[in-house]
Amino acid sequence: MTSTDLLPPIGPVTADDLAEGLRLVVALLRQPAALSADWSRPAGTLDMDCWETAEHLADCFFFYGTQLAQQSPPVETFLSFVEHRSAPGRPASVISSERESGVEGLVQVVEACGALHIAMVRTSAPEARAFHPMGTTDPEGSAAMGLVELFVHGYDLSCGLGLHWTAPAGLSARALHRLFPDTPADTDPWATLLWATGRGDLPGRERVTADWRWHSAPR
């Protein structure tokens, strides 16, 4: 019997799933070993350091939540928030955390922006839509996108901070089912999610490049 044999039937991604994912990643980042680590180190294979990656994660939550909030006129592009860069060549972002607040302050920003996204998923009507260049999505798709952002960047951060972290199989399977419907269903969901997002290998399958895409449009 494999780990995939023990999974419950795959259902929709919910606000509760997103809340559980946020709880797990925040707990990862609040470990003493994480709080005392060097956050200027690269986050896995990304071109961002760990601090910038956490800010990017908060930024994703902010954008996904506010996109669901904007329903009139119809959503056809990202809202026109002003992005900024901490230095030339660094990632553009709306959300940033004061360096003086330390890592705990940064984690609080991630947690607060995540809570905003969860609230919008929970309270949006099923017919609500949120723009994304990979497919304008519905509240369930938005929750799945937030869950994938949490898990893959949680993995990036764990690599950069010298920690070991694994996302739950059930949540990974639901996110895969919603956003990556063409991925294999008979492999470990967490390993498959890392493979689908260009962060790992699956036996017998070609490695996915950095140009991976998800399918966020309602299905």
Side-chain angles (χ1 to χ4, degrees):
M1 180 176 291
T2 67
S3 61
T4 56
D5 296 325
L6 302 176
L7 294 176
I10 295 177
V13 182
T14 67
D16 287 342
D17 291 335
L18 185 57
E20 176 63 6
L22 179 64
R23 184 191 69 79
L24 292 171
V25 172
V26 166
L28 165 72
L29 301 182
R30 283 203 170 113
Q31 291 182 39
L35 294 175
S36 62
D38 180 4
W39 285 66
S40 67
R41 295 179 57 187
T45 59
L46 300 183
D47 293 330
M48 297 184 287
D49 64 30
C50 290
W51 186 283
E52 292 165 337
T53 300
E55 287 182 332
H56 168 72
L57 181 55
D59 209 55
C60 290
F61 289 142
F62 176 79
F63 266 102
Y64 294 166
T66 54
Q67 286 299 118
L68 276 174
Q70 194 252 347
Q71 292 300 313
S72 181
V75 176
E76 297 178 350
T77 186
F78 284 128
L79 292 166
S80 57
F81 295 106
V82 176
E83 294 186 315
H84 61 88
R85 300 179 189 272
S86 59
R90 304 316 299 161
S93 178
V94 171
I95 300 298
S96 58
S97 179
E98 290 183 345
R99 296 278 175 159
E100 294 78 6
S101 69
V103 175
E104 177 57 37
L106 173 63
V107 176
Q108 288 174 353
V109 168
V110 172
E111 189 172 29
C113 289
L116 166 67
H117 187 200
I118 292 164
M120 288 310 306
V121 170
R122 199 180 298 281
T123 58
S124 293
E127 61 270 17
R129 294 295 179 265
F131 172 81
H132 192 278
M134 295 186 194
T136 293
T137 194
D138 56 2
E140 187 213 350
S142 184
M145 294 192 308
L147 202 57
V148 170
E149 299 282 5
L150 269 167
F151 286 173
V152 300
H153 290 313
Y155 172 78
D156 296 331
L157 287 163
S158 70
C159 292
L161 299 173
L163 305 172
H164 176 75
W165 187 76
T166 301
L171 293 181
S172 299
R174 288 200 284 282
L176 282 167
H177 182 72
R178 176 59 179 83
L179 297 180
F180 301 92
D182 299 326
T183 54
D186 58 350
T187 53
D188 177 77
W190 175 230
T192 305
L193 181 58
L194 292 179
W195 170 77
T197 55
R199 289 167 169 81
D201 295 303
L202 279 183
R205 306 231 174 219
E206 185 177 348
R207 189 177 179 92
V208 176
T209 70
D211 296 326
W212 61 269
R213 294 176 62 86
W214 59 36
H215 302 278
S216 44
R219 293 188 285 116

